[in-house]
Amino acid sequence: MNKLRTALATAAALGLGALVTAPVQAAAQPAFLAAAQMPASSTPWTATQVFTGVPENGGVL
């Protein structure tokens, strides 16, 4: 029983040692488009200034 326990402890220690010595890799950062890289709009719609208050249609979406 002691040999089995020693073997398991040795295997666990070697496994943890491999994890500790493994190089740490940074998570990949997402890439975002710059405003100049955005595609041209396919519609003539443009946004207007945002106003506070109740919309003309009474707030119904």
Side-chain angles (χ1 to χ4, degrees):
M1 187 67 168
N2 283 340
K3 288 183 180 181
L4 178 60
R5 188 177 302 154
T6 304
L8 289 174
T10 303
L14 290 174
L16 290 177
L19 290 175
V20 171
T21 59
V24 177
Q25 294 181 353
Q29 295 295 319
F32 295 100
L33 293 176
Q37 296 173 312
M38 297 294 286
S41 174
S42 61
T43 65
W45 181 89
T46 58
T48 58
Q49 185 178 359
V50 177
F51 296 98
T52 59
V54 180
E56 294 176 1
N57 63 1
V60 178
L61 296 177

